[in-house]
Structure formats: structure tokens, C-alpha cells
Amino acid sequence: MTGSQQPTEGAVTRQPGLRLALLEQHRDFGGAETVWEAGAGEFADLLALERSLADQANVLAGVGEAATPQMLARYDRDLERFDREGGYTFAPRVDAVLQGLGFGAEKARTQPLEQLSGGERGRLGLARQLVSAADVLLLDEPTNHLDLETTRWLEDYLRNTQKTVLLISHDRAFLANVVDHVLHLEGGSAVAYTGGYESFVLQRAERRLSQERASEKQRKVIAEEEDYIQRNIAGQNSKQAKGRRKRLSRLPRISGPTSEEGSSMGLRLDLSERGGDQVAIARDVTLAVEGRTLIKGFTATIQRGEVVGFVGPNGSGKSTLLRALVGDREPAAGELRIGGSVRPSYYRQDMAQVPVDRALYDIITELRPRWERRQVQGHLARFGFSGDEAQRRAETLSGGERARVALAMMVLTRANFLVLDEPTNHLDIESVEALEDALEEYEGTILLVSHDRAMLEALTTRVWILHDQRVTDFPGSFAEWEEQSREREHAAAVASAEQESLRRVKERKTTRRREVQGDDSRIALRELRRKVEDSEKEVAALESKVAELTAILEDPELYTTREGTERSLVTGKELDRVRRKLDAAIEIWTAATERAEQVSAT
């Protein structure tokens, strides 16, 4: 689509001047040094002009009346260009996208790009893509590296954008909330469906059923024709039989419904023993990494048969807790242990449990040394590795193939406690559904870290929410948690709108036209300046109140009781009221600032 590769057959045409934005896998940010510069992308020239304007304003303020006409003319010319090319709108847009994708807008302006992790660079690449002025966004697995809150923000952004979006995703809830058309690649062909993801699922099932019926009907017709030909080819009706054989050879065959490679994954999770009633125990646990506390004072017990969903922002400590639970690291304080007669199986997010220097056949043989060759190959075949593929080395596998090998290994453990860290990463939708079905039938205990909301809603009986170093234990399903915490989403939306308004105010302060140092004795100008100062104080006070109310609503502990839920509704209404007052205060400040500038310039 971008023109970087030519099709083997046919042609791809694009409208003249059409601009496409593609998230590059290697995420080249050019000469950007800070996170904000990298996110701004194609607006680097405007960013440089903004800095130049700030420097010029400082120089003009320093020389005062000694400013030359050339200096003033240059400042006016650059300011006019900044305004004409969208300087007052691009920065708030960059800030809003960076904020939505989990980067502090203010911190991003000075944070070095080299400090970012791989996952953070992935999110920054997505931010750069969303900010661009392209007509078409090409998004390849955009929810990778995103936590649940950030994924919801991206859903809202894509639903409201006026751009055309083509996205590849295996996140079913994300697809259901965003897309209005589906192009399904299957069996070497592409079929287009009109409607959202849920409509696609129904249409695909109907299409497959229709295709299966048509194929079965044709098979019967062909069998009858072949029987007639065989009986009459050498007899009295030989001429008719030869004619039928000729027609039959030309008949286009209707194939049965194809299935994705992943859908053939034969996944069944058995356990070798029932295990004890207390599967995992945490007592006043504190976890820290390199001096930074991730989790503090965590106490909980997982009972046999529970499915615990563990959610929270990326980098907050979920994977660290899982590693500590299975004994890969020690907690900084407290007790964290597995219960008696409990056999855990740990699915790592990075799939490091799959030895990359070994052939797949050898990996399975080591786990089942008494198996015959046919048993090893049969087991691998159930996970999509047939014939010679059993001799492939793990280092040659794609992410999805390594995930299937990790699942093939997990099945053989027959563990009664599954510790799963993002098991749906890299899997296609059919494989995710096969995994979900297997986990639903599994009789053991599950601790699940996942950003796949559809899986969390289908499986969980209990939810842990990690927020600000504290884990809240919610005694209900993930669907019930989402229902309970609607006010948290409302608070996040209000806070996002408030931050965007304040960023606009700060941007205007940074780049507004320099006030000429005139006669401060003029009453009108003095009054206007006083009004500007008063308005700024009012905005700051209301901003502080919005932050206070938002912090209350963002605390997961608030939603674990009926009284807390009722309090969240009251607080949400108060937040709306304060937000409206803040909007009005910002309008007053803007009007006063503009009037003061006009008076100063006269």
C-alpha cells in the first residue's frame, strides 16, 4: 500500500497526493533527542520555530526600548508564520496524544529518548503516527505494549478521528469497539465484510456453513456422476459417459471452508493432582527493583479453582510479582509462597521458557523422554508443526510460533496452577479462542495477567488491580469490575480534557506576542494585567481541585464496597461541576490576556 514493495500480480493504485502513515517496526525517530521531539515527528520545523520565538522574546525583553526595527520585524514575521502553519494547534495535539499513550506531556519535553524501553518506544512510535497529518493510518498491532486504560483511550481516539484507518489486530474487544469493516485473510484469499467485528463473526460463520453445504452437495453430485461414468464407460451408453466425464473434468470444484493455521491447535489442559485449597499466599509483600518500590504491603490468598485476573499499567510491577511468586526473585519484604501440593506452570511474557538453541522435537523429547517418535510428532502437529517442521530450531520461529511451542510445553506439565503473563501476545484470533476454551475447561487455578479484555471477561472470578504501588482485591469478575468503575473512566476523560485546555493556556503563554514596555501608569492596562493575574490564580486553584477529585476516583479501593460506589457517583458529579468552572475561568483568562496584548500594542 505504501509503494515500498510491488505486488507479484495486479496493481495497487493510490489517489494522487494521498499521505499514509505507517508504524515502522524499527521505529526510527530521526534526529530527535527528547520524547516530545520524537512524538512531534513531522512538526520538527514548527518546534524549532517555537524555540526561536521564545529566545527572541527573551532577547527583546532584555534590550527593552533598544530593540531594533529589524529584531521586531523578524519576531513579528516568525510569529505570523507560526500562527499560519498551525503552531497554536500542533503542540496541544502532540501533548494530548502523548498524554493519552502514557507519557507525561511536560516531562516528555525534556526526557531523553535514549531512556525509553522497547515497549515505551513502541508506544512513542504509535504517538508519532497518530499525530501526523497523514490521510490514512496503517496500524499494525497498535495495542501491543498498551495497558487497558491506554487501549481504551486509543479506541476513543480512533472512533473520533476523521482519517481512514487500516489496522491489523488480534485484540477482539479492540476490534469490536473500533472497526466498521473487516478484511479477513484466510486460506490464501481475502474476504471483505461490511459491519463491525461482531457482525463479521456472524457473517463468517454463515458463510462457512453455506460453503460447507455447497461443497457437500457438489461432492454428492460428483460421486453420482463418477458412479455413472464407471458403470457405462464401456457399455451401451459409452458416448454419454464420455460426455459426462468431459464435463466433470471442467467443473470448478467448491472447496470446503478453510481454517486458520492457529485454529488447528489442539489445546487441552489436564492436571496431575488436585492440590491444596490455598494455592498462593502473600503476606505484607513489598517488591522493589533497583531501589524503586513497585508493590507495597500486599496481602492476599488465592484459593483452589479461582481465576484471578491481574491488571494495571505497564511497568507497574505485575510481571515482577509473578516472577517472585514462582521463585525467580525475592520480595524486598514479606512472605510470598506457593501452597502445599501445588504444581505451578509459568508462561512468561518473553517466552524465555522456550530454549532457542534447540529443535522443537528435542524440546518435547526432553519433557517426555519415554515417548515414541510418533507421539512427539503428533503432539507438535496439534500445535501446527507437522512433518519436517518438528526439526526446526526455536530461534527460527516467529513470535506466534514460539507462543504455540510455549503452550505445547505448558500442556505437558499437567500443572494444577497456571501463572500466565500475557499469553495472548503474538497469537492470532483463532489461537486465542482455542486457548480461552481450554482455560475455561481447565479444572485447576489460574493467575492471569492480560490486556485481552474479552478473555478477562470470559474467565475471571476475581480481579487484582495494581494502582500506585497498591493492589486492590476486587471480589468479582472483570466484567463486574468494569461496570463498577465507570466513574474512573469518566474521571480519566475529564482529566484528559482539563489537561488539554491547560496545555493550550501554557502554549499561548509561551508563544504569545511580546508586550511592548509602555507606560505602566495607564489605568486600563494595569486593571487588565490584574485581571489576568487573578484569572491565572483561579485557573490554578480549579486545576488543583480537579486533580484532587480525579485522584479520589482513580483509587480502585473506592469501588470495592457499595458505599464507595455511591461516593464515586457524588464525586463524579462534583468533578463535572468543577470542570465547567475551570472552562469558564480559562475563557476569562484568554479574553483578558488578548485584551491586555491589544492595549499594550497601542
Side-chain angles (χ1 to χ4, degrees):
M1 292 191 68
T2 61
S4 62
Q5 182 174 329
Q6 296 302 313
T8 306
E9 295 180 8
V12 176
T13 59
R14 292 176 293 275
Q15 292 180 359
L18 188 71
R19 297 167 298 178
L20 297 94
L22 173 67
L23 178 61
E24 294 290 349
Q25 212 168 30
H26 299 294
R27 303 183 181 97
D28 180 13
F29 297 113
E33 296 181 355
T34 68
V35 171
W36 205 95
E37 289 175 352
E42 63 194 59
F43 297 107
D45 290 343
L46 273 179
L47 181 60
L49 182 58
E50 179 187 40
R51 288 174 177 162
S52 175
L53 281 168
D55 291 341
Q56 291 179 58
N58 290 334
V59 171
L60 289 170
V63 299
E65 297 299 328
T68 66
Q70 291 82 3
M71 294 168 66
L72 292 171
R74 180 194 174 193
Y75 184 82
D76 286 342
R77 186 173 60 252
D78 287 352
L79 189 63
E80 189 275 331
R81 178 191 159 202
F82 186 80
D83 190 19
R84 183 180 68 251
E85 296 183 6
Y88 288 110
T89 59
F90 95 91
R93 188 157 83 245
V94 174
D95 283 345
V97 172
L98 287 174
Q99 193 77 30
L101 289 175
F103 298 97
E106 291 299 320
K107 180 182 177 183
R109 291 183 177 269
T110 56
Q111 184 179 9
L113 184 59
E114 61 188 19
Q115 289 184 354
L116 298 187
S117 66
E120 288 172 327
R121 291 178 71 90
R123 284 189 282 125
L124 184 58
L126 176 60
R128 183 185 181 100
Q129 192 178 8
L130 297 179
V131 165
S132 77
D135 307 299
V136 180
L137 300 180
L138 304 176
L139 308 178
D140 191 353
E141 296 290 358
T143 60
N144 281 359
H145 312 297
L146 302 187
D147 54 42
L148 293 172
E149 295 296 333
T150 311
T151 299
R152 290 192 187 97
W153 175 89
L154 181 59
E155 288 174 357
D156 291 337
Y157 185 94
L158 294 179
R159 278 197 298 264
N160 294 322
T161 186
Q162 298 302 309
K163 300 177 182 180
T164 299
V165 180
L166 176 61
L167 63 88
I168 298 169
S169 179
H170 296 140
D171 187 328
R172 295 163 294 171
F174 178 71
L175 290 170
N177 289 329
V178 172
V179 306
D180 51 26
H181 289 73
V182 174
L183 182 66
H184 187 219
L185 306 185
E186 182 179 48
S189 64
V191 181
Y193 295 85
T194 300
Y197 178 74
E198 293 174 352
S199 174
F200 151 71
V201 172
L202 294 175
Q203 292 179 62
R204 180 185 60 175
E206 292 170 356
R207 181 176 176 275
R208 284 178 171 173
L209 181 59
S210 175
Q211 194 174 1
E212 185 176 358
R213 288 172 176 170
S215 176
E216 181 62 28
K217 183 177 180 180
Q218 188 185 64
R219 279 198 295 269
K220 290 181 180 179
V221 171
I222 291 173
E224 291 173 359
E225 289 291 287
E226 288 177 340
D227 180 62
Y228 178 88
I229 292 167
Q230 187 176 3
R231 285 187 292 104
N232 295 281
I233 192 68
Q236 187 176 1
N237 296 324
S238 175
K239 188 175 181 180
Q240 292 90 330
K242 289 179 180 179
R244 290 194 181 191
R245 184 170 62 183
K246 189 173 183 179
R247 289 196 300 272
L248 190 62
S249 66
R250 295 175 178 174
L251 178 67
R253 297 302 197 264
I254 301 175
S255 60
T258 56
S259 61
E260 292 283 2
E261 182 183 29
S263 64
S264 62
M265 189 169 67
L267 184 58
R268 178 180 172 83
L269 296 164
D270 295 318
L271 40 88
S272 58
E273 58 180 318
R274 180 172 176 268
D277 291 336
Q278 290 191 339
V279 176
I281 302 96
R283 293 286 182 268
D284 202 24
V285 171
T286 294
L287 292 176
V289 174
E290 297 179 353
R292 182 169 69 97
T293 300
L294 300 175
I295 296 175
K296 185 165 52 178
F298 173 50
T299 297
T301 301
I302 299 178
Q303 301 292 338
R304 182 174 54 82
E306 289 188 316
V307 180
V308 181
F310 191 13
V311 299
N314 287 341
S316 58
K318 302 186 299 296
S319 296
T320 304
L321 178 62
L322 265 54
R323 288 197 295 270
L325 180 61
V326 297
D328 284 357
R329 65 176 302 119
E330 290 294 324
E335 178 190 15
L336 185 62
R337 61 182 177 86
I338 301 292
S341 303
V342 174
R343 295 182 55 191
S345 179
Y346 178 30
Y347 183 102
R348 297 174 58 104
Q349 184 177 168
D350 58 6
M351 292 177 290
Q353 67 269 36
V354 180
V356 296
D357 59 343
R358 309 279 296 283
L360 306 188
Y361 183 90
D362 296 334
I363 292 173
I364 301 303
T365 300
E366 185 174 319
L367 295 174
R368 286 293 184 273
R370 295 186 179 182
W371 272 10
E372 298 178 1
R373 183 179 186 85
R374 62 177 179 81
Q375 291 175 295
V376 174
Q377 290 188 318
H379 183 71
L380 285 170
R382 284 194 289 274
F383 290 85
F385 301 100
S386 303
D388 293 341
E389 289 197 324
Q391 298 303 324
R392 288 179 64 186
R393 290 171 67 88
E395 61 189 0
T396 69
L397 303 179
S398 67
E401 289 170 330
R402 284 184 66 191
R404 295 206 305 273
V405 173
L407 291 173
M409 295 170 64
M410 188 176 72
V411 165
L412 299 181
T413 65
R414 301 191 69 196
N416 50 27
F417 180 33
L418 301 182
V419 182
L420 308 177
D421 193 356
E422 299 289 3
T424 62
N425 280 0
H426 308 294
L427 293 179
D428 56 54
I429 289 178
E430 284 77 7
S431 296
V432 171
E433 290 173 343
L435 174 61
E436 186 178 294
D437 290 342
L439 293 176
E440 198 165 19
E441 295 175 2
Y442 177 63
E443 296 180 353
T445 307
I446 302 172
L447 175 57
L448 171 64
V449 171
S450 180
H451 66 267
D452 188 317
R453 282 164 294 168
M455 177 172 283
L456 289 168
E457 290 173 359
L459 298 176
T460 55
T461 58
R462 180 176 166 193
V463 184
W464 289 350
I465 306 97
L466 178 53
H467 176 76
D468 284 345
Q469 303 179 349
R470 193 173 77 253
V471 178
T472 297
D473 192 348
F474 180 74
S477 68
F478 181 76
E480 291 173 321
W481 162 249
E482 285 199 311
E483 180 68 21
Q484 286 282 83
S485 60
R486 282 180 300 178
E487 281 299 328
R488 291 181 72 243
E489 296 179 18
H490 170 70
V494 170
S496 177
E498 175 261 341
Q499 288 164 352
E500 184 169 354
S501 296
L502 291 173
R503 283 193 294 271
R504 289 178 182 272
V505 170
K506 292 173 183 176
E507 187 65 28
R508 187 168 180 82
K509 283 182 181 178
T510 303
T511 58
R512 69 188 182 192
R513 189 183 301 271
R514 184 180 70 92
E515 294 182 7
V516 179
Q517 301 298 315
D519 183 6
D520 285 344
S521 63
R522 290 186 301 184
I523 298 176
L525 182 57
R526 199 163 51 238
E527 287 298 321
L528 284 169
R529 285 175 173 167
R530 187 180 298 116
K531 190 170 185 179
V532 168
E533 291 176 2
D534 291 343
S535 298
E536 287 181 350
K537 291 178 182 177
E538 177 72 6
V539 167
L542 290 170
E543 178 188 12
S544 177
K545 186 64 176 177
V546 166
E548 177 187 335
L549 295 172
T550 301
I552 292 173
L553 290 172
E554 285 182 342
D555 185 356
E557 200 73 36
L558 183 65
Y559 307 93
T560 57
T561 63
R562 187 177 64 181
E563 294 78 9
T565 302
E566 292 173 352
R567 184 188 172 199
S568 73
L569 296 174
V570 174
T571 307
K573 292 177 181 178
E574 175 68 6
L575 182 60
D576 280 338
R577 186 185 67 79
V578 175
R579 179 70 178 88
R580 287 192 295 270
K581 289 182 66 176
L582 179 59
D583 287 339
I586 290 174
E587 288 181 9
I588 292 172
W589 178 89
T590 302
T593 301
E594 290 175 350
R595 180 59 182 154
E597 290 175 355
Q598 292 169 1
V599 171
S600 293
T602 58

